[in-house]
Amino acid sequence: MLSKEMEKRLNDQLREEFYSAWYYLSIAAWCDANDYPGGAHFFKKQYEEEVGHAMRIYHYLTEVDGKPVIPALDQPPAEFESLQQVFEKALEHEKHITRCISELMDLAIKEKDHATAAFLQWYVNEQVEEEATMKNILAQIRMVGTDSRGLFLVDRELAKRE
Ligand code: OFO
């Protein structure tokens, strides 16, 4: 049985995941406008993934007799200085999401809510992957710096995301 507090906190996370989707779609728009078609593709895929993360919570809430609350979302940032800054921001954002998931897991453990803890374990693992992905791409971008040929090659790699 889901506590009221857990229902609220899962809905907070639902909002975080939808906001992540919005944030990454905004980054995709910036990439499209700044001639990084690979980056735009990468972040459109990430947008879809984040909607998936949100919908997992939506479905879980309905399974355990909670009620998903569809949130209003803040306007995400739309301007960035460079592709490097985009990935710095994305990594920073993923670290924030990791902290949110950790706090949710702490609550599930405190409430001895084993079902929610088991549900959240997927997110714990996913966040390891999310941070690693952003970190690895950021490392490549830092390596090429502002070299346009290097950035072209990184962008071409980003276009390959499935
Ligand atoms: Fe939902 O993992 Fe990214 O934000």
Side-chain angles (χ1 to χ4, degrees), residues 67-99:
K67 184 175 183 303
V69 177
I70 307 309
L73 298 174
D74 293 335
Q75 175 85 43
E79 290 305 326
F80 303 91
E81 285 164 16
S82 61
L83 194 63
Q84 178 171 327
Q85 195 197 36
V86 156
F87 277 92
E88 283 166 357
K89 294 282 181 193
L91 178 58
E92 203 178 285
H93 182 69
E94 287 307 327
K95 286 183 174 171
H96 161 71
I97 296 294
T98 299
R99 282 193 296 275

Side-chain angles (χ1 to χ4, degrees), residues 37-69:
H41 169 80
F42 177 93
F43 280 104
K44 282 173 206 162
K45 286 283 176 193
Q46 190 65 31
Y47 152 79
E48 287 169 11
E49 211 172 86
E50 298 298 350
V51 171
H53 295 174
M55 290 309 290
R56 264 177 185 261
I57 299 174
Y58 179 107
H59 292 305
Y60 179 70
L61 279 165
T62 58
E63 274 169 3
V64 291
D65 292 334
K67 184 175 183 303
V69 177

Side-chain angles (χ1 to χ4, degrees), residues 96-112:
H96 161 71
I97 296 294
T98 299
R99 282 193 296 275
C100 294
I101 296 291
S102 261
E103 287 169 13
L104 257 182
M105 184 61 111
D106 288 345
L107 179 66
I109 291 167
K110 188 175 140 225
E111 291 191 350
K112 299 189 171 56

